[in-house]
PDB file of all heavy atoms in Angstrom:
ATOM      1  N   GLY Z  97       1.640  12.825   5.072  1.00 72.00           N
ATOM      2  CA  GLY Z  97       2.079  11.511   4.684  1.00 72.00           C
ATOM      3  C   GLY Z  97       1.091  10.481   5.179  1.00 72.00           C
ATOM      4  O   GLY Z  97      -0.127  10.679   5.118  1.00 72.00           O
ATOM      5  N   GLY Z  98       1.565   9.344   5.649  1.00 73.00           N
ATOM      6  CA  GLY Z  98       0.706   8.290   6.107  1.00 73.00           C
ATOM      7  C   GLY Z  98      -0.257   8.691   7.194  1.00 73.00           C
ATOM      8  O   GLY Z  98      -1.375   8.158   7.309  1.00 73.00           O
ATOM      9  N   ALA Z  99       0.087   9.662   7.962  1.00 78.00           N
ATOM     10  CA  ALA Z  99      -0.753  10.126   9.099  1.00 78.00           C
ATOM     11  C   ALA Z  99      -2.072  10.661   8.639  1.00 78.00           C
ATOM     12  O   ALA Z  99      -3.071  10.599   9.356  1.00 78.00           O
ATOM     13  CB  ALA Z  99      -0.011  11.149   9.928  1.00 78.00           C
ATOM     14  N   ASP Z 100      -2.138  11.183   7.442  1.00 82.00           N
ATOM     15  CA  ASP Z 100      -3.384  11.821   6.956  1.00 82.00           C
ATOM     16  C   ASP Z 100      -4.379  10.820   6.431  1.00 82.00           C
ATOM     17  O   ASP Z 100      -5.527  11.116   6.231  1.00 82.00           O
ATOM     18  CB  ASP Z 100      -3.104  12.855   5.879  1.00 82.00           C
ATOM     19  CG  ASP Z 100      -2.532  14.148   6.441  1.00 82.00           C
ATOM     20  OD1 ASP Z 100      -2.413  14.240   7.693  1.00 82.00           O
ATOM     21  OD2 ASP Z 100      -2.128  15.023   5.649  1.00 82.00           O
ATOM     22  N   GLY Z 101      -3.925   9.617   6.159  1.00 91.00           N
ATOM     23  CA  GLY Z 101      -4.764   8.603   5.580  1.00 91.00           C
ATOM     24  C   GLY Z 101      -5.095   8.934   4.121  1.00 91.00           C
ATOM     25  O   GLY Z 101      -5.084  10.038   3.653  1.00 91.00           O
ATOM     26  N   LEU Z 102      -5.273   7.849   3.370  1.00 94.00           N
ATOM     27  CA  LEU Z 102      -5.611   7.981   1.907  1.00 94.00           C
ATOM     28  C   LEU Z 102      -7.086   8.097   1.769  1.00 94.00           C
ATOM     29  O   LEU Z 102      -7.866   7.395   2.348  1.00 94.00           O
ATOM     30  CB  LEU Z 102      -5.102   6.798   1.138  1.00 94.00           C
ATOM     31  CG  LEU Z 102      -3.588   6.656   1.009  1.00 94.00           C
ATOM     32  CD1 LEU Z 102      -3.204   5.209   0.538  1.00 94.00           C
ATOM     33  CD2 LEU Z 102      -3.025   7.644   0.021  1.00 94.00           C
ATOM     34  N   THR Z 103      -7.504   9.051   0.915  1.00 95.00           N
ATOM     35  CA  THR Z 103      -8.914   9.178   0.452  1.00 95.00           C
ATOM     36  C   THR Z 103      -8.999   8.571  -0.908  1.00 95.00           C
ATOM     37  O   THR Z 103      -8.295   9.049  -1.841  1.00 95.00           O
ATOM     38  CB  THR Z 103      -9.374  10.615   0.463  1.00 95.00           C
ATOM     39  OG1 THR Z 103      -9.276  11.198   1.736  1.00 95.00           O
ATOM     40  CG2 THR Z 103     -10.821  10.743  -0.019  1.00 95.00           C
ATOM     41  N   PHE Z 104      -9.819   7.561  -1.070  1.00 97.00           N
ATOM     42  CA  PHE Z 104      -9.854   6.791  -2.336  1.00 97.00           C
ATOM     43  C   PHE Z 104     -11.071   7.175  -3.187  1.00 97.00           C
ATOM     44  O   PHE Z 104     -12.121   7.546  -2.665  1.00 97.00           O
ATOM     45  CB  PHE Z 104      -9.977   5.286  -2.017  1.00 97.00           C
ATOM     46  CG  PHE Z 104      -8.680   4.669  -1.640  1.00 97.00           C
ATOM     47  CD1 PHE Z 104      -8.314   4.620  -0.292  1.00 97.00           C
ATOM     48  CD2 PHE Z 104      -7.824   4.087  -2.593  1.00 97.00           C
ATOM     49  CE1 PHE Z 104      -7.115   4.019   0.117  1.00 97.00           C
ATOM     50  CE2 PHE Z 104      -6.612   3.467  -2.197  1.00 97.00           C
ATOM     51  CZ  PHE Z 104      -6.246   3.461  -0.853  1.00 97.00           C
ATOM     52  N   GLY Z 105     -10.882   7.036  -4.488  1.00 97.00           N
ATOM     53  CA  GLY Z 105     -12.020   7.061  -5.407  1.00 97.00           C
ATOM     54  C   GLY Z 105     -12.736   5.720  -5.281  1.00 97.00           C
ATOM     55  O   GLY Z 105     -12.277   4.810  -4.640  1.00 97.00           O
ATOM     56  N   LYS Z 106     -13.883   5.620  -5.965  1.00 96.00           N
ATOM     57  CA  LYS Z 106     -14.697   4.438  -5.857  1.00 96.00           C
ATOM     58  C   LYS Z 106     -14.235   3.247  -6.698  1.00 96.00           C
ATOM     59  O   LYS Z 106     -14.705   2.159  -6.555  1.00 96.00           O
ATOM     60  CB  LYS Z 106     -16.166   4.743  -6.307  1.00 96.00           C
ATOM     61  CG  LYS Z 106     -16.891   5.655  -5.311  1.00 96.00           C
ATOM     62  CD  LYS Z 106     -17.146   5.000  -3.948  1.00 96.00           C
ATOM     63  CE  LYS Z 106     -18.031   5.863  -3.100  1.00 96.00           C
ATOM     64  NZ  LYS Z 106     -18.274   5.253  -1.778  1.00 96.00           N
ATOM     65  N   GLY Z 107     -13.235   3.485  -7.516  1.00 97.00           N
ATOM     66  CA  GLY Z 107     -12.647   2.397  -8.300  1.00 97.00           C
ATOM     67  C   GLY Z 107     -13.196   2.242  -9.747  1.00 97.00           C
ATOM     68  O   GLY Z 107     -14.307   2.680 -10.042  1.00 97.00           O
ATOM     69  N   THR Z 108     -12.367   1.772 -10.591  1.00 98.00           N
ATOM     70  CA  THR Z 108     -12.709   1.495 -12.006  1.00 98.00           C
ATOM     71  C   THR Z 108     -12.360   0.037 -12.308  1.00 98.00           C
ATOM     72  O   THR Z 108     -11.202  -0.379 -12.173  1.00 98.00           O
ATOM     73  CB  THR Z 108     -11.956   2.406 -12.993  1.00 98.00           C
ATOM     74  OG1 THR Z 108     -12.292   3.765 -12.753  1.00 98.00           O
ATOM     75  CG2 THR Z 108     -12.215   2.019 -14.434  1.00 98.00           C
TER      76      THR Z 108
END
Side-chain angles (χ1 to χ4, degrees):
Chain Z
D100 285 356
L102 290 165
T103 298
F104 283 90
K106 291 292 189 182
T108 296

